[in-house]
């Protein structure tokens, strides 16, 4: 790990990507809508736009090469969470926080009807205090851009702050 560079997460790039593709599908990536939802896949694309670095470890990594060659963390909400909060190798990393600890380009994951967290949203704007009424998100599955977090009916929310990016090379 000593040969790793610690880089800034480019939040503006992540948000720009989210706005660009919120209502469309980037043809460079699969559309996971038919596989249970596209929200984590879309969120990973946004985080990649802001980080520029994937983690190609076969076990526990975070990468997308093709629909048949991608990590579970790329397109599954729970796996994406585990990767981001535990990653100490190459790629983006972060930590779980509350709504006061997030910035634009960070993620929100929602649980519905007391179930596990199954939906991932990208924070694209915070208008004032970081409350559900003032946190605006972009998402796939139910495509949205600049949608207030408070407009979702959820039983629990967890917030993920992307702290930085580790890379072997400058990005």
């Amino acid at each position: 790990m000593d040969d790793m560079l610690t880089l800034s997460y480019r939040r503006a790039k992540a948000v720009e990507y989210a706005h660009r593709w919120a209502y469309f599908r980037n043809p460079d990536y699969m559309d996971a809508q038919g596989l249970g939802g596209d929200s984590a896949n879309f969120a990973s694309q946004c985080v990649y736009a802001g980080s520029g670095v994937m983690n190609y470890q076969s076990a526990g990594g975070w990468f997308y090469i093709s629909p048949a060659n991608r990590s579970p963390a790329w397109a599954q909400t729970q796996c994406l969470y585990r990767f981001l909060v535990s990653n100490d190798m190459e790629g983006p990393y972060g930590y779980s926080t509350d709504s006061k600890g997030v910035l634009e380009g960070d993620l929100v994951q929602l649980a519905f009807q007391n179930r596990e967290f199954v939906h991932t949203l990208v924070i694209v704007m915070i208008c004032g205090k970081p409350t559900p009424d003032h946190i605006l998100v972009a998402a796939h599955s139910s495509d949205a851009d600049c949608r207030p977090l408070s407009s979702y009916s959820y039983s629990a929310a967890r917030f993920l702050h992307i702290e930085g990016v580790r890379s072997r090379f400058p990005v």
Side-chain angles (χ1 to χ4, degrees), residues 91-164:
Y93 61 94
Y95 55 86
S96 187
T97 186
D98 60 21
S99 64
K100 296 178 196 106
V102 292
L103 299 169
E104 293 167 354
D106 286 339
L107 305 179
V108 183
Q109 294 186 326
L110 302 179
F112 303 100
Q113 301 171 352
N114 296 321
R115 293 183 41 215
E116 68 181 35
F117 291 92
V118 295
H119 193 41
T120 304
L121 315 163
V122 179
I123 298 171
V124 294
M125 190 178 302
I126 302 172
C127 304
K129 292 182 180 182
T131 64
D133 286 333
H134 298 118
I135 294 174
L136 305 183
V137 298
H140 275 186
S141 292
S142 293
D143 294 0
D145 190 17
C146 294
R147 179 177 172 178
L149 181 58
S150 62
S151 70
Y152 289 86
S153 179
Y154 55 91
S155 59
R158 67 180 173 199
F159 298 86
L160 287 162
H161 175 70
I162 311 296
E163 189 172 9

Side-chain angles (χ1 to χ4, degrees), residues 42-61:
F42 174 66
S44 284
Q45 292 172 41
C46 296
V47 171
Y48 180 63
S51 68
V53 179
M54 292 185 190
N55 179 313
Y56 292 100
Q57 292 182 64
S58 59

